[in-house]
Amino acid sequence: MEMKSSWTKDVQAKLLKETIATLRDEVLALNDWMAEHPELGSREFESSRRIVELLRSHGLEVEYPFGGLQTAFKATVNGGKNRKKAALMAEYDALPGLGHGCGHCAGGTAAVMAILALKQIEDYLGEIQIDLIGTPDEELGGGKVLLANAHAFDGYEFAAMVHMNDVNLTCVNFSAIDGMLFEFHGRPSHAAFAPEEGRNALNAARLFFDCVDMMRQHVPEKARLHGCILEGGHASNIVPDFAKVEFCTRAPYRWQLNDITAWVKECARAAAMATRTEVEILPCGVDYDSFQTGPVKNRVAADCFTALGLPVDRETVVGGGSSDVANVDTVCPTFHPMIGIGESDRNCDRNCDRN
């Protein structure tokens, strides 16, 4: 008698489709609840709890919390020693003021449905272990970066997730991003009676932006430099002694961004020197690496779309945004296709991952 583990992938695919149909109502209910009750990154306590309860109700072994993050989890199908491992990733955080504008409720529950279906055909998976890793706080805090740094993705053959979009894409390339806070410290003084005694921190912040603007023609075309002044004084008749700037740098490749970020920091120090103020440079969030795909990943993703009867509207799109999924790709090969839902604007390349 033929072992189940040796059955063809066509048989496994048929069984998966049959199993998914039985899970539809439960998973859609989870999606609808998350859409109606959005939770911000690192605060997805109820969302993660509901996901974990659903997984456990279907017999999955779940570690929760996981990787040092309170709202992260790991569920395992067909676990065992000396097995090849693959990881699926689920996102479930929302955007401030927008709720699930990026569709993490749908992408996250799609991953939940996948692992539940795989659990039902566990006996057919042979020596392959598949884990579902719940990855919180993609939008702001970079949960996948923190998990990758905690070695949560070590030892996997590959990791994969899906994101919602208006068309089907085999992959989206993401820019690397660095976030910084610049705090300029000056000296207060009355702007009319003793301006010479003051050292204007707001002037330093303004000069910093001018310096960065001088950089723009000398950085790669797809690099991005953007920021805002968060604080810059309290009264017009007092020389501002403190100014705070939030700033982000992006570039298609990490090696490009390292140089750009160093240059931006030099601009801040130069602005402080010119205004006789001081600047403190602090991190703002965690840094994301660049995510670049290639023909092999595109071909694999395209084959998956074809097997599901979904058209490939476009292959790789160079996104203007950034995502913490890039840091997973530095540990193991990572797939990030996009699934088209809703109405399509086929002339628009866009994504709404981080920042």
Side-chain angles (χ1 to χ4, degrees), residues 41-42 136-146 285-286 288 324 354:
S42 296
D137 204 358
E138 186 274 338
E139 298 290 357
L140 297 174
K144 295 183 196 65
V145 179
L146 302 178
V286 296
Y288 293 1
D324 59 358
R354 181 202 177 187

Side-chain angles (χ1 to χ4, degrees), residues 23-272:
L23 299 168
R24 178 182 175 88
D25 290 344
E26 283 183 288
V27 175
L28 287 180
L30 174 65
N31 169 77
D32 293 346
W33 185 90
M34 288 201 292
E36 294 168 2
H37 302 85
E39 295 180 298
L40 299 182
S42 296
R43 304 177 192 172
E44 316 98 324
F45 295 108
E46 187 64 17
S47 297
S48 60
R49 185 186 69 79
R50 285 173 178 257
I51 294 172
V52 168
E53 286 185 352
L54 178 59
L55 296 173
R56 287 173 173 166
S57 73
H58 284 265
L60 275 85
E61 175 187 337
V62 185
E63 183 178 348
Y64 174 66
F66 172 68
L69 303 181
Q70 287 185 295
T71 54
F73 63 85
K74 183 176 79 170
T76 298
V77 167
N78 203 36
K81 293 183 179 180
N82 302 319
R83 291 187 173 176
K84 291 185 176 181
K85 299 191 302 179
L88 304 179
M89 294 176 284
E91 297 176 336
Y92 34 89
D93 61 317
L95 285 160
L98 288 178
H100 279 289
C102 276
H104 288 181
C105 55
T109 51
V112 170
M113 177 176 279
I115 200 72
L116 290 177
L118 288 165
K119 175 63 176 176
Q120 298 306 310
I121 67 161
E122 190 171 27
D123 292 342
Y124 299 88
L125 296 179
E127 294 303 311
I128 300 172
Q129 173 180 323
I130 302 176
D131 294 337
L132 174 64
I133 299 179
T135 59
D137 204 358
E138 186 274 338
E139 298 290 357
L140 297 174
K144 295 183 196 65
V145 179
L146 302 178
L147 288 170
N149 291 344
H151 305 287
F153 294 98
D154 290 1
Y156 288 101
E157 301 295 316
F158 69 89
M161 62 167 287
V162 295
H163 199 284
M164 301 299 105
N165 198 43
D166 59 348
V167 294
N168 295 327
L169 304 172
T170 59
C171 195
V172 173
N173 287 344
F174 292 114
S175 295
I177 184 173
D178 291 336
M180 293 155 280
L181 286 175
F182 297 96
E183 296 186 353
F184 294 93
H185 300 271
R187 189 165 67 218
S189 183
H190 196 285
F193 289 112
E196 70 279 4
E197 297 296 329
R199 295 293 179 264
N200 196 312
L202 179 59
N203 281 351
R206 291 175 54 215
L207 184 57
F208 163 68
F209 275 92
D210 287 341
C211 290
V212 171
D213 283 341
M214 301 297 177
M215 289 177 55
R216 294 185 189 276
Q217 64 178 310
H218 305 296
V219 298
E221 181 182 0
K222 296 184 186 301
R224 298 291 183 264
L225 308 168
H226 48 93
C228 65
I229 297 176
L230 300 179
E231 297 181 42
H234 301 287
S236 59
N237 63 340
I238 299 175
V239 174
D241 66 325
F242 180 74
K244 179 186 289 188
V245 173
E246 181 179 297
F247 206 86
C248 289
T249 56
R250 303 181 198 250
Y253 297 95
R254 168 50 64 182
W255 63 266
Q256 294 173 323
L257 188 60
N258 288 341
D259 181 61
I260 292 170
T261 297
W263 194 351
V264 167
K265 291 178 179 180
E266 289 169 0
C267 287
R269 297 185 186 101

Side-chain angles (χ1 to χ4, degrees), residues 281-294:
I281 303 173
L282 303 169
C284 181
V286 296
D287 299 336
Y288 293 1
D289 284 317
S290 54
F291 184 74
Q292 304 291 332
T293 191

